[in-house]
Amino acid sequence: MNEKKTGKPVFRLYKNSMEVLDKREILAHYSWKYDGDWSKIAEALRTHEKVKRRRDCGSYITIYDDAYPKNLRALRYPPWVLFYRGRLDLLKQSGFTVVGSRKLTAYGEWATERCAELLSAQHVLISGLAKGADGIVHRTAIAMRGTTVGVIGCGLNVRYPRENEYLYRMMESEQLILSEYPDTTGVKKHHFPWRNRILAALGDGVIVTQAALKSGTMGTVSQALELGKEVWCVPYPYNEEGGRGCNLLISQGANILYDEGILEDLRPLRPI
């Protein structure tokens, strides 16, 4: 790797090209080559792997950029690159991650919508643009004329699940969608639990509206607790299967959402 007189790392392309890439462009190219695989990108950086120019990597920020969210730097494996569409300024504002089950009970649907309504007045709402709770969070934030960020586990062109395609269209222009995977990366099962670490880190706290004992939601909460985040859970009736995860978390010390005033009193930790 060469250095300009400014000290900014650069990398010369091969195949008779004299073009020079800076360190953030190198990361974006590695990400495209390896479909966002964190470990493979790390190895490419370690070995100073040769870079082949892509025509266009789209809109992205890297771990080297000032715009990169500070909350993500606390992760053990912070994403190298975040591809995005929409309003990057939302990452500077106070936000809460709101998560829940893909298959919601009627009570879970009501709780998710109500939590999103109360929070959207003062906070950016962050969720995963998946079925169930995630979709309700984003829809409610938009309906309340609030702001919302979706963190997805595939490329921005893939639009998964299809039932949320209209949300993609709305959010990529008026809100914000993030992915550590290049635009054409398809849906892979292991991407979603890995994506959940970003959901856990990005918000100033985490709200859980419904969770079974074994679910991706519980994985998100585990990551949040490792980061020292506050977690609030909606309580569920005794032995209701869909909410046993919430009740377990409350028994282990998570904050209980016993009153709507709790959400109304959550003050922004950053400017809105």
Side-chain angles (χ1 to χ4, degrees):
M1 186 172 287
N2 301 315
E3 299 285 335
K4 288 182 178 178
K5 290 182 180 180
T6 59
K8 188 176 183 181
V10 297
F11 204 110
R12 291 201 179 277
L13 291 174
Y14 291 78
K15 292 194 173 179
N16 300 319
S17 173
M18 293 303 292
E19 187 172 5
V20 175
L21 297 182
D22 65 21
K23 58 186 179 180
R24 64 187 304 276
E25 291 176 307
I26 293 166
L27 272 183
H29 284 70
Y30 287 158
S31 185
W32 271 93
K33 180 175 181 179
Y34 293 114
D35 275 341
D37 187 294
W38 196 97
S39 297
K40 290 179 179 178
I41 296 169
E43 180 63 13
L45 287 167
R46 187 187 70 81
T47 60
H48 304 300
E49 183 179 305
K50 296 179 181 180
V51 179
K52 294 180 181 179
R53 168 57 108 176
R54 278 194 57 85
R55 248 178 143 184
D56 181 14
C57 289
S59 298
Y60 63 89
I61 55 174
T62 76
I63 198 168
Y64 298 126
D65 297 326
D66 292 338
Y68 189 89
K70 292 181 179 179
N71 284 1
L72 296 186
R73 296 186 188 276
L75 286 167
R76 183 178 181 185
Y77 302 105
W80 299 111
V81 182
L82 288 170
F83 299 94
Y84 72 92
R85 290 180 188 168
R87 295 177 51 192
L88 205 57
D89 65 290
L90 296 184
L91 296 177
K92 299 289 187 182
Q93 301 179 26
S94 180
F96 272 82
T97 298
V98 185
V99 292
S101 300
R102 283 178 168 80
K103 295 182 180 180
L104 292 169
T105 63
Y107 175 62
E109 287 186 16
W110 172 83
T112 303
E113 185 171 346
R114 189 60 181 148
C115 286
E117 287 174 350
L118 293 169
L119 286 168
S120 62
Q122 299 189 84
H123 307 279
V124 177
L125 300 191
I126 303 159
S127 201
L129 248 174
K131 295 180 180 180
D134 292 3
I136 290 176
V137 170
H138 299 305
R139 286 198 301 271
T140 303
I142 292 168
M144 298 295 293
R145 298 189 177 182
T147 51
T148 187
V149 175
V151 184
I152 63 176
C154 54
L156 291 164
N157 286 346
V158 175
R159 308 293 179 93
Y160 175 84
R162 284 295 182 186
E163 66 188 61
N164 284 345
E165 186 167 358
Y166 75 100
L167 276 174
Y168 274 80
R169 290 197 300 270
M170 294 177 68
M171 290 176 62
E172 67 185 7
S173 58
E174 302 170 12
Q175 308 294 333
L176 178 65
I177 306 176
L178 298 173
S179 177
E180 67 181 313
Y181 302 105
D183 287 356
T184 57
T185 302
V187 176
K188 298 180 181 179
K189 190 175 182 180
H190 66 275
H191 284 176
F192 294 95
W194 184 244
R195 176 276 312 269
N196 289 346
R197 81 196 194 286
I198 301 176
L199 285 174
L202 201 56
D204 297 325
V206 176
I207 312 296
V208 185
T209 63
Q210 183 177 320
L213 287 176
K214 294 181 180 181
S215 64
T217 299
M218 294 295 278
T220 303
V221 171
S222 178
Q223 293 269 357
L225 294 174
E226 287 183 16
L227 294 165
K229 303 276 185 178
E230 289 282 351
V231 176
W232 289 263
C233 295
V234 173
Y236 275 74
Y238 171 75
N239 216 29
E240 183 169 325
E241 190 66 31
R244 290 181 70 189
C246 285
N247 290 345
L248 175 63
L249 291 169
I250 291 167
S251 74
Q252 293 175 339
N255 299 293
I256 181 171
L257 284 172
Y258 63 87
D259 185 86
E260 290 187 343
I262 295 172
L263 294 177
E264 294 173 326
D265 290 340
L266 290 177
R267 299 303 176 193
L269 300 182
R270 290 174 281 169
I272 58 173

PDB file of all heavy atoms in Angstrom, residues 41 63 77 151 157 161:
ATOM      1  N   ILE A  41     -13.620  -9.812   4.164  1.00  0.00           N
ATOM      2  CA  ILE A  41     -13.154  -8.435   3.982  1.00  0.00           C
ATOM      3  C   ILE A  41     -11.958  -8.168   4.902  1.00  0.00           C
ATOM      4  O   ILE A  41     -10.960  -7.553   4.491  1.00  0.00           O
ATOM      5  CB  ILE A  41     -14.287  -7.437   4.265  1.00  0.00           C
ATOM      6  CG1 ILE A  41     -15.419  -7.615   3.248  1.00  0.00           C
ATOM      7  CG2 ILE A  41     -13.771  -6.000   4.225  1.00  0.00           C
ATOM      8  CD1 ILE A  41     -16.684  -6.856   3.595  1.00  0.00           C
ATOM      9  N   ILE A  63     -16.415   2.513   7.759  1.00  0.00           N
ATOM     10  CA  ILE A  63     -15.964   2.694   9.131  1.00  0.00           C
ATOM     11  C   ILE A  63     -14.946   3.823   9.247  1.00  0.00           C
ATOM     12  O   ILE A  63     -14.690   4.334  10.329  1.00  0.00           O
ATOM     13  CB  ILE A  63     -15.401   1.363   9.671  1.00  0.00           C
ATOM     14  CG1 ILE A  63     -15.336   1.383  11.204  1.00  0.00           C
ATOM     15  CG2 ILE A  63     -14.057   1.042   9.025  1.00  0.00           C
ATOM     16  CD1 ILE A  63     -15.076   0.035  11.816  1.00  0.00           C
ATOM     17  N   TYR A  77     -17.695  -6.671  16.115  1.00  0.00           N
ATOM     18  CA  TYR A  77     -17.514  -6.767  14.668  1.00  0.00           C
ATOM     19  C   TYR A  77     -18.337  -5.681  13.982  1.00  0.00           C
ATOM     20  O   TYR A  77     -19.377  -5.965  13.384  1.00  0.00           O
ATOM     21  CB  TYR A  77     -17.938  -8.150  14.157  1.00  0.00           C
ATOM     22  CG  TYR A  77     -17.197  -9.293  14.796  1.00  0.00           C
ATOM     23  CD1 TYR A  77     -17.806 -10.098  15.753  1.00  0.00           C
ATOM     24  CD2 TYR A  77     -15.877  -9.563  14.447  1.00  0.00           C
ATOM     25  CE1 TYR A  77     -17.126 -11.150  16.348  1.00  0.00           C
ATOM     26  CE2 TYR A  77     -15.182 -10.622  15.034  1.00  0.00           C
ATOM     27  CZ  TYR A  77     -15.810 -11.404  15.983  1.00  0.00           C
ATOM     28  OH  TYR A  77     -15.123 -12.436  16.570  1.00  0.00           O
ATOM     29  N   VAL A 151     -32.913  -1.672   8.775  1.00  0.00           N
ATOM     30  CA  VAL A 151     -31.636  -2.366   8.592  1.00  0.00           C
ATOM     31  C   VAL A 151     -31.945  -3.758   8.067  1.00  0.00           C
ATOM     32  O   VAL A 151     -32.605  -4.549   8.742  1.00  0.00           O
ATOM     33  CB  VAL A 151     -30.847  -2.462   9.915  1.00  0.00           C
ATOM     34  CG1 VAL A 151     -29.479  -3.103   9.668  1.00  0.00           C
ATOM     35  CG2 VAL A 151     -30.698  -1.092  10.555  1.00  0.00           C
ATOM     36  N   ASN A 157     -31.322  -3.961  -3.560  1.00  0.00           N
ATOM     37  CA  ASN A 157     -32.142  -4.219  -4.748  1.00  0.00           C
ATOM     38  C   ASN A 157     -33.043  -5.443  -4.602  1.00  0.00           C
ATOM     39  O   ASN A 157     -33.874  -5.706  -5.468  1.00  0.00           O
ATOM     40  CB  ASN A 157     -31.256  -4.424  -5.970  1.00  0.00           C
ATOM     41  CG  ASN A 157     -30.650  -3.132  -6.473  1.00  0.00           C
ATOM     42  OD1 ASN A 157     -31.088  -2.051  -6.082  1.00  0.00           O
ATOM     43  ND2 ASN A 157     -29.639  -3.225  -7.318  1.00  0.00           N
ATOM     44  N   PRO A 161     -38.990  -8.913   2.677  1.00  0.00           N
ATOM     45  CA  PRO A 161     -39.966  -9.716   1.945  1.00  0.00           C
ATOM     46  C   PRO A 161     -40.758  -8.864   0.946  1.00  0.00           C
ATOM     47  O   PRO A 161     -40.868  -7.654   1.111  1.00  0.00           O
ATOM     48  CB  PRO A 161     -40.882 -10.224   3.060  1.00  0.00           C
ATOM     49  CG  PRO A 161     -40.849  -9.130   4.090  1.00  0.00           C
ATOM     50  CD  PRO A 161     -39.446  -8.588   4.054  1.00  0.00           C
TER      51      PRO A 161
END
